C-alpha cells in the first residue's frame, strides 16, 4: 500500500512538473499573441510608427550633458547678475530682488497690505492728540481706525454669530417702526412700552 | 491516462475559476515589460512589418514571425518565478 502511494505521488510529481510547464507555455503564448494583436491594430490604425523621428531631429533635441548648462543647452545663471529698471520708481534693481521690490513699490501683494495697515495703526496712535481741534468727521475717523487691528478682530468674531440676527432685526425695525409708532399713539401708557415689548411683538404678529 | 487528463482539466478549471490564471497572466505581463522583453518583441514586429509592408501585414504574419522567438526570449528568472507560483497552486489544489 505504501509503495503504491509513493510511486503514485512521484509519478504525480513529474506529471505535475510537466503540467506546470504546459501552463507556463500557455501563458507565454497568450502574452505573445496579445502583443501581436496590439501591434497589428496599431499598424492598421496608423499609430505604430508615431514615436519614430528622423535622425536629424533626434540629434537636434538630444540631451545636453555639459557643465554650466541645463539639459536643453541653455545657460541658467545668466539672469542672476542682470539689473532691471523698475517702471514705477525708475530705480535699477537686481533681477532676483525685482519681484519683491515690485510688490512693495506698486502696493500689491500680501506683505505690502500688512505693512500698510501697521503703518496706519501706528501712525494714528501718534496723530490723535494733534487732530482734536478738527471736525467731528476726523474724530470719527480716529474712532474707526483707532486700534484698527483690535477692532477689526473683534468685529470679525462678532460678525458671524450676530450678522443674520442683526440684519433680521434691522428689517424688523424698518418694517415695523411704522407700526410701532402707531401702536405708541394708540397705547396710553408709555411706561408699559419697554416692559411689554414682547407683547407688542405678539400683537403685531396677530395683525400680520 | 484519462484520469490524468481529467485531473488536468479539473485543475485548469480551478485555475480559471479562482482567478489565479488572470493573476498569473498579469504577473507575467508585468515581468515581461519590466525586463524589456516587450520592447525586444516590438522591434521584431517592426522588422516583419517592414518586410511585408504596412498595407499587407496580417496578424498571422506577425504571430508566425514573432512567437517562436518570443518564447525563447523569456528570461529564466521570470520563468522560474512563474513556475514556482504554478507549482504552489497545483500542490494546494491537486487533491
Amino acid at each position: 500500500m505504501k509503495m503504491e502511494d509513493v510511486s503514485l505521488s512521484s509519478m504525480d510529481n513529474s506529471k505535475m512538473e510537466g503540467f506546470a510547464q504546459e501552463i507556463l507555455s500557455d501563458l507565454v503564448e497568450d502574452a505573445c499573441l496579445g502583443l501581436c494583436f496590439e501591434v497589428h491594430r496599431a499598424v492598421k490604425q496608423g499609430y505604430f510608427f508615431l514615436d519614430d523621428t528622423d535622425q536629424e531631429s533626434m540629434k537636434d533635441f538630444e540631451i545636453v550633458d555639459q557643465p554650466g548648462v541645463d539639459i536643453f543647452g541653455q545657460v541658467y545663471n545668466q539672469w542672476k547678475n542682470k539689473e532691471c529698471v523698475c517702471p514705477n520708481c525708475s530705480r535699477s534693481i537686481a533681477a532676483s530682488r525685482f519681484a519683491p521690490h515690485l510688490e512693495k513699490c506698486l502696493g500689491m501683494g500680501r506683505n505690502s497690505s500688512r505693512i500698510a495697515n501697521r503703518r496706519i495703526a501706528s501712525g494714528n496712535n501718534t496723530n490723535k492728540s494733534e487732530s482734536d481741534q478738527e471736525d467731528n468727521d476726523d474724530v470719527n475717523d480716529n474712532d474707526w481706525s483707532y486700534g484698527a487691528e483690535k477692532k477689526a478682530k473683534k468685529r470679525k468674531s462678532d460678525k458671524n454669530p450676530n450678522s443674520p440676527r442683526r440684519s433680521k432685526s434691522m428689517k424688523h425695525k424698518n418694517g415695523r417702526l411704522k407700526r410701532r409708532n402707531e401702536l405708541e399713539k394708540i397705547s396710553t401708557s408709555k411706561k408699559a412700552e419697554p416692559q411689554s415689548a414682547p407683547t407688542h411683538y405678539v400683537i403685531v404678529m396677530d395683525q400680520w | 491516462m484519462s484520469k490524468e487528463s481529467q485531473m488536468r482539466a479539473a485543475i485548469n478549471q480551478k485555475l480559471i475559476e479562482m482567478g489565479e490564471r488572470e493573476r498569473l497572466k498579469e504577473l507575467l505581463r508585468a515581468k515581461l515589460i519590466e525586463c524589456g522583453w516587450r520592447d525586444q518583441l516590438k522591434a521584431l514586429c517592426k522588422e516583419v512589418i517592414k518586410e511585408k509592408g504596412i498595407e499587407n501585414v496580417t496578424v498571422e504574419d506577425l504571430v508566425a514571425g514573432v512567437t517562436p522567438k518570443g518564447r525563447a526570449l523569456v528570461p529564466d528568472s521570470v520563468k522560474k518565478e512563474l513556475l514556482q507560483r504554478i507549482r504552489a497552486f497545483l500542490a494546494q489544489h491537486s487533491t
Side-chain angles (χ1 to χ4, degrees):
Chain A
M1 287 287 273
K2 263 192 183 177
M3 285 291 284
E4 282 178 8
D5 282 344
V6 167
S7 63
L8 259 176
S9 60
S10 66
M11 195 176 70
D12 279 351
N13 265 344
S14 65
K15 296 283 183 189
M16 282 303 178
E17 189 56 34
F19 193 29
Q21 291 282 355
E22 211 182 278
I23 294 177
L24 177 65
S25 91
D26 271 345
L27 287 170
V28 169
E29 187 159 337
D30 269 354
C32 287
L33 281 177
L35 183 75
C36 288
F37 284 132
E38 270 183 49
V39 167
H40 182 259
R41 183 164 210 271
V43 166
K44 294 299 179 181
Q45 297 284 0
Y47 60 84
F48 187 60
F49 287 111
L50 277 183
D51 49 355
D52 286 346
T53 32
D54 57 315
Q55 278 298 324
E56 274 184 36
S57 323
M58 294 283 274
K59 275 194 182 172
D60 279 345
F61 297 117
E62 227 177 320
I63 292 179
V64 177
D65 195 12
Q66 299 166 12
V69 152
D70 65 14
I71 62 173
F72 297 115
Q74 297 165 357
V75 187
Y76 55 85
N77 275 333
Q78 287 191 13
W79 309 109
K80 267 194 190 175
N81 307 324
K82 297 219 169 171
E83 290 194 344
C84 327
V85 179
C86 172
N88 213 27
C89 58
S90 309
R91 283 202 294 172
S92 168
I93 313 282
S96 46
R97 300 301 309 161
F98 190 52
H101 163 79
L102 257 191
E103 252 193 327
K104 294 188 182 134
C105 197
L106 290 172
M108 290 164 32
R110 290 200 293 179
N111 276 332
S112 40
S113 58
R114 279 188 212 151
I115 295 173
N117 281 336
R118 245 188 270 155
R119 278 196 207 142
I120 290 173
S122 60
N124 273 329
N125 279 340
T126 56
N127 287 342
K128 204 192 173 189
S129 52
E130 291 173 14
S131 61
D132 270 350
Q133 296 175 355
E134 295 187 24
D135 299 337
N136 283 336
D137 286 339
D138 280 348
V139 173
N140 287 340
D141 280 344
N142 281 341
D143 280 342
W144 176 255
S145 58
Y146 168 62
E149 290 176 13
K150 289 186 191 171
K151 264 204 174 177
K153 284 186 185 171
K154 221 190 175 188
R155 280 186 185 217
K156 260 192 176 178
S157 58
D158 280 350
K159 223 186 183 183
N160 289 334
N162 287 339
S163 63
R165 274 197 189 174
R166 272 191 189 167
S167 56
K168 242 192 179 179
S169 59
M170 288 301 287
K171 272 188 184 173
H172 283 277
K173 274 189 189 170
N174 284 336
R176 294 175 182 179
L177 258 175
K178 274 191 178 177
R179 289 208 169 266
R180 246 195 156 181
N181 287 337
E182 288 171 354
L183 288 169
E184 277 177 35
K185 287 177 189 173
I186 295 171
S187 70
T188 50
S189 58
K190 284 186 183 176
K191 280 186 187 175
E193 269 187 47
Q195 287 173 13
S196 57
T199 52
H200 266 270
Y201 279 122
V202 170
I203 293 169
V204 168
M205 289 298 284
D206 284 346
Q207 284 176 343
W208 269 94
Chain B
M1 272 308 187
S2 64
K3 258 195 186 177
E4 193 190 303
S5 55
Q6 263 181 1
M7 199 178 65
R8 281 190 175 196
I11 295 183
N12 264 328
Q13 200 180 9
K14 260 195 187 171
L15 207 57
I16 296 174
E17 276 175 1
M18 296 182 61
E20 186 65 19
R21 191 161 199 274
E22 275 302 310
R23 282 192 284 267
L24 287 170
K25 247 176 111 172
E26 279 306 310
L27 178 65
L28 179 63
R29 196 166 189 269
K31 294 266 163 194
L32 289 175
I33 292 176
E34 234 178 68
C35 71
W37 174 91
R38 199 162 190 266
D39 299 321
Q40 280 176 301
L41 244 67
K42 260 192 170 177
L44 282 175
C45 288
K46 272 189 195 174
E47 285 175 29
V48 174
I49 294 165
K50 284 183 181 155
E51 210 185 328
K52 305 271 178 170
I54 293 189
E55 296 299 317
N56 301 325
V57 73
T58 60
V59 183
E60 288 87 359
D61 290 334
L62 285 172
V63 168
V66 154
T67 311
K69 290 192 189 166
R71 283 169 179 273
L73 282 172
V74 178
D76 283 334
S77 55
V78 175
K79 277 192 198 169
K80 269 191 193 171
E81 190 171 334
L82 268 138
L83 275 174
Q84 245 181 352
R85 273 190 71 155
I86 296 172
R87 272 186 226 131
F89 183 83
L90 292 178
Q92 249 187 324
H93 295 99
S94 60
T95 47

